[in-house]
Amino acid sequence: ITNEDSGGFHFVGSSSTGKTTALRVAASVWGGPSHLKRWRATSNAIEGLAVQHCDAALILDELAQVEARDAGAIAYSLANGQGKARSYADASAKPISTWRLLFLSAGEVGLAAHMAEAQRKAKAGQEVRLAEIDADAGAGFGLFDVVPEGIEANFFADRLNNATKKYYGHLGSQFVEHLIADSAGVADIGQAVQRLAATFAGTSQAGQVRRVAGRFALAAVAGELATQWGLTGWQEGSATSAVKRCFDSWVESRGGTGNLEPSRVLAQLRAFIEANGESRFASWNETPDRVTHNRAGFQKMNGDHGWCYYVLSEQMKVILQGFAFRDACKALAAAGVILKSGDSNTQSVRLPQMGKARCYVIKADALQGGDDEQ
């Protein structure tokens, strides 16, 4: 109806904050307790779950239970709506599984942290496909903003959990019936999502933010429709304000409304220089009898530009491994970290003991705090 991409939401936080309770309540919209699935499966098995839940909600608990080395690829696959290409024994191609869904997830770790356990680095695209929301609402009740008067948060969670075992599977089918019957209202859904997504994203022009804002807006519009059709008992506008809270939490946890890659490129370069500045960058005036092993470049004061690192061109590719190299250098130049020579990101410099070579000249002071703008 809206042509929005598939994608997911992931509640992340410590144990006993109400994450699994939230997933059970969400699952009860569509089915019984068995509608809540677990991440503890192979990538092939989760692909099968995605096919089964096409055009519906797939709800997965405990991200940490999936193999860390597979987590990123599964997140990509779920959101991209397409399984692996496979072949029969005679080498002819099997039909490729496809699906379209939103998925809701929870765990004590986020995607990037879980992938790091297997020495894998999360791409920005993976984290955009699985938007992380802090499970602690900050009100002292774990995931809840408020609880009914006279009851503690844990007892309220117990009440919800017990209710999901008795009452389930009704609202989802009624929602679909209303979608079918209300053809005039359905025609406006796409525009309503676009307007709300623009409101959520505000002035941000970052494609990643606007894309995720569309997913949050879709959830908000669905909530408002369910309220309008008498399915929730909520006040008008409450679904939108709740989703906006979650969107703002996602923005805060990712570090702002810019695209992630520039800040991550800068962070990786800064971390390398912080760890190796003295050992791998020779002093410009260093005596020939001192050898810098595995040299990445040189360092010196450079007039008005202050302290600079002259990174050898091939070493720069090693430092920025994991990123599209040209795009990464372009981002660093745009942030004022690379000192350009005309239109080029490199400079031809006569280096001590080496002669003329092309280098990336890195301004040390520009390395600090560059991701504050993000």
Side-chain angles (χ1 to χ4, degrees):
I1 294 172
T2 65
N3 291 317
E4 288 292 328
D5 294 329
S6 297
F9 306 98
H10 179 65
F11 286 110
V12 59
S14 58
S15 177
S16 302
T17 53
K19 301 185 301 298
T20 300
T21 298
L23 297 192
R24 286 179 179 144
V25 171
S28 73
V29 172
W30 297 102
S34 64
H35 197 81
L36 174 59
K37 307 300 183 184
R38 304 284 175 176
W39 277 99
R40 189 175 184 179
T42 64
S43 58
N44 289 348
I46 291 183
E47 183 177 312
L49 287 175
V51 172
Q52 292 170 10
H53 291 77
C54 182
D55 283 326
L58 173 60
I59 302 175
L60 298 165
D61 199 10
E62 297 298 346
L63 175 64
Q65 291 185 347
V66 74
E67 288 287 346
R69 66 176 181 271
D70 297 330
I74 291 174
Y76 255 132
S77 179
L78 284 176
N80 288 345
Q82 184 170 303
K84 295 178 182 177
R86 298 179 175 88
S87 61
Y88 292 106
D90 63 359
S92 61
K94 290 183 177 181
I96 296 176
S97 299
T98 59
W99 55 83
R100 179 175 49 204
L101 54 77
L102 292 181
F103 51 103
L104 185 63
S105 169
E108 293 184 28
V109 295
L111 180 63
H114 190 41
M115 291 177 64
E117 295 174 11
Q119 284 75 54
R120 304 287 176 90
K121 185 170 67 175
K123 307 289 187 186
Q126 289 166 321
E127 295 187 66
V128 165
R129 286 163 173 81
L130 184 59
E132 293 184 5
I133 305 166
D134 189 348
D136 188 347
F141 306 121
L143 182 138
F144 306 116
D145 286 302
V146 294
V147 296
E149 190 174 349
I151 184 172
E152 294 182 8
N154 58 329
F155 291 114
F156 181 47
D158 289 342
R159 181 182 294 180
L160 290 174
N161 283 316
N162 290 332
T164 63
K165 298 172 185 176
K166 297 178 182 178
Y167 313 107
Y168 50 80
H170 303 293
L171 288 182
S173 57
Q174 290 185 46
F175 185 83
V176 173
E177 288 175 3
H178 280 284
L179 278 177
I180 294 170
D182 190 1
S183 57
V186 166
D188 295 332
I189 290 177
Q191 291 183 349
V193 169
Q194 290 178 10
R195 288 194 299 268
L196 191 55
T199 300
F200 283 178
T203 59
S204 174
Q205 296 301 312
Q208 293 168 1
V209 172
R210 301 189 77 81
R211 178 178 176 181
V212 177
R215 191 183 317 147
F216 277 91
L218 179 61
V221 169
E224 295 298 342
L225 283 173
T227 299
Q228 177 185 318
W229 292 332
L231 303 180
T232 66
W234 302 336
Q235 293 183 348
E236 182 180 349
S238 61
T240 300
S241 62
V243 171
K244 181 63 161 58
R245 270 291 300 276
C246 291
F247 177 77
D248 290 343
S249 174
W250 172 75
V251 169
E252 181 181 356
S253 66
R254 77 190 293 274
T257 57
N259 282 333
L260 284 178
E261 286 92 342
S263 59
R264 293 201 170 163
V265 169
L266 179 57
Q268 185 160 313
L269 175 61
R270 182 170 58 218
F272 180 87
I273 289 178
E274 286 175 351
N276 302 287
E278 293 297 323
S279 61
R280 298 194 55 187
F281 289 90
S283 171
W284 198 270
N285 300 316
E286 197 164 82
T287 55
D289 59 339
R290 180 177 173 180
V291 178
T292 301
H293 296 284
N294 199 16
R295 181 171 53 198
F298 295 83
Q299 53 179 313
K300 74 165 185 174
M301 287 295 295
N302 185 3
D304 294 339
H305 299 298
W307 198 259
C308 289
Y309 293 92
Y310 291 73
V311 184
L312 299 170
S313 57
E314 291 303 314
Q315 290 296 315
M316 191 69 159
K317 294 176 183 177
V318 175
I319 294 170
L320 298 183
Q321 263 184 339
F323 296 100
F325 183 69
R326 290 192 178 186
D327 291 342
C329 291
K330 189 184 297 183
L332 291 172
V337 175
I338 288 178
L339 191 59
K340 299 183 62 153
S341 175
D343 293 331
S344 176
N345 288 327
T346 61
Q347 296 188 29
S348 180
V349 182
R350 187 170 297 281
L351 300 172
Q353 309 167 35
M354 286 187 65
K356 223 169 193 183
R358 297 209 71 83
C359 295
Y360 291 87
V361 183
I362 306 300
K363 296 166 62 178
D365 61 350
L367 284 171
Q368 306 306 317
D371 30 15
D372 291 346
E373 298 175 3
Q374 298 294 321

